Amino acid sequence: ESSFEAMGCDCQILAVGGPPGLLEFGEKRVRELETAWTRFDDSSELSAFNRRAGHWTSVSEELSLLLWRGLAGYRMSDGIFNPFMGTQIRGVGYDRDFSELDIASGSPPIEATDTSGPSTSVNPTTPMQFMRHRRLAMLAPGLEFDSGGIGKGLGADVVASDLLRAGAAGATGTTGAAGAAGGAGTAGGGVCAVDCAVRSDQDELDDDPQGAV
């Protein structure tokens, strides 16, 4: 078991079985995802992608996954889940890691602005075009993708899946309040709560007769 800080929150990795070095590998993966997905670092891949709104951009496999899941959530919820409001979120002052925001007692509150509707210059049904098989994406002009609503949960899922593929019989990844668990006996062999590749060559894991960690 390993605990550390990343993605602006407390993270925890737990692996059962498998080769040495899995915990170090899990922490490394969390930090790699943070580096790619954060919007608080101008040099991150997501920041570079946002700056190219209106242009087709080649994206890595990891950013492609984040964007695809975000777009899927937007479509499935008819826009109620909207990760394309990075500009508005920055506009109300959330422009750096939450731990760095000045929210001490007595500080003047951030003045809210109206973010209830999309820009009139943007078609709300097509905030982003995607050619996933080619890993090409294009944001509509004026939009920014914000990973905050999905990044932590997806990151936990990705890391738990990676640990299983690296040889762990069972694994959990927790980033803040989001977590994912997987193992030979989890829901018949899976990562909860997002479908992923798993190992299924062990009938039982420590601490849980059904195989979940």
Side-chain angles (χ1 to χ4, degrees):
E1 181 178 356
S2 174
S3 299
F4 53 95
E5 291 186 5
M7 295 187 175
C9 62
D10 295 328
C11 301
Q12 184 181 54
I13 303 261
L14 188 150
V16 176
L22 284 180
L23 296 180
E24 293 79 5
F25 168 72
E27 179 176 346
K28 177 175 177 287
R29 289 296 290 127
V30 171
R31 298 194 185 281
E32 287 174 347
L33 295 174
E34 178 184 33
T35 298
W37 292 352
T38 182
R39 64 181 176 84
F40 302 134
D41 183 349
D42 287 342
S43 66
S44 74
E45 186 181 6
L46 177 60
S47 294
F49 173 74
N50 282 333
R51 287 193 295 270
R52 286 186 51 80
H55 303 276
W56 285 105
T57 303
S58 177
V59 296
S60 68
E61 182 176 351
E62 284 150 352
L63 185 57
S64 173
L65 176 63
L66 177 76
L67 298 175
W68 184 252
R69 291 286 177 85
L71 182 61
Y74 178 86
R75 289 172 171 170
M76 292 171 64
S77 67
D78 291 327
I80 294 174
F81 170 73
N82 189 349
F84 301 101
M85 298 182 68
T87 301
Q88 292 93 328
I89 292 172
R90 284 194 300 104
V92 297
Y94 192 11
D95 57 358
R96 53 200 178 280
D97 193 280
F98 193 78
S99 63
E100 299 176 4
L101 293 176
D102 185 10
I103 54 175
S105 177
S107 298
I110 296 172
E111 183 177 349
T113 57
D114 181 11
T115 60
S116 58
S119 168
T120 56
S121 64
V122 176
N123 183 344
T125 63
T126 56
M128 182 173 66
Q129 297 182 60
F130 214 117
M131 291 190 285
R132 195 180 181 201
H133 63 291
R134 297 178 62 184
R135 295 215 302 261
L136 290 171
M138 179 171 64
L139 276 174
L143 297 187
E144 291 186 16
F145 188 96
D146 172 46
S147 59
I150 192 173
K152 291 182 175 63
L154 181 58
D157 178 55
V158 168
V159 172
S161 299
D162 285 351
L163 287 169
L164 294 174
R165 283 191 288 268
T172 65
T174 305
T175 52
T186 304
V191 171
C192 299
V194 182
D195 293 338
C196 291
V198 299
R199 285 171 57 88
S200 56
D201 56 354
Q202 279 192 238
D203 296 327
E204 185 169 313
L205 302 179
D206 294 346
D207 300 328
D208 190 331
Q210 299 304 315
V213 177

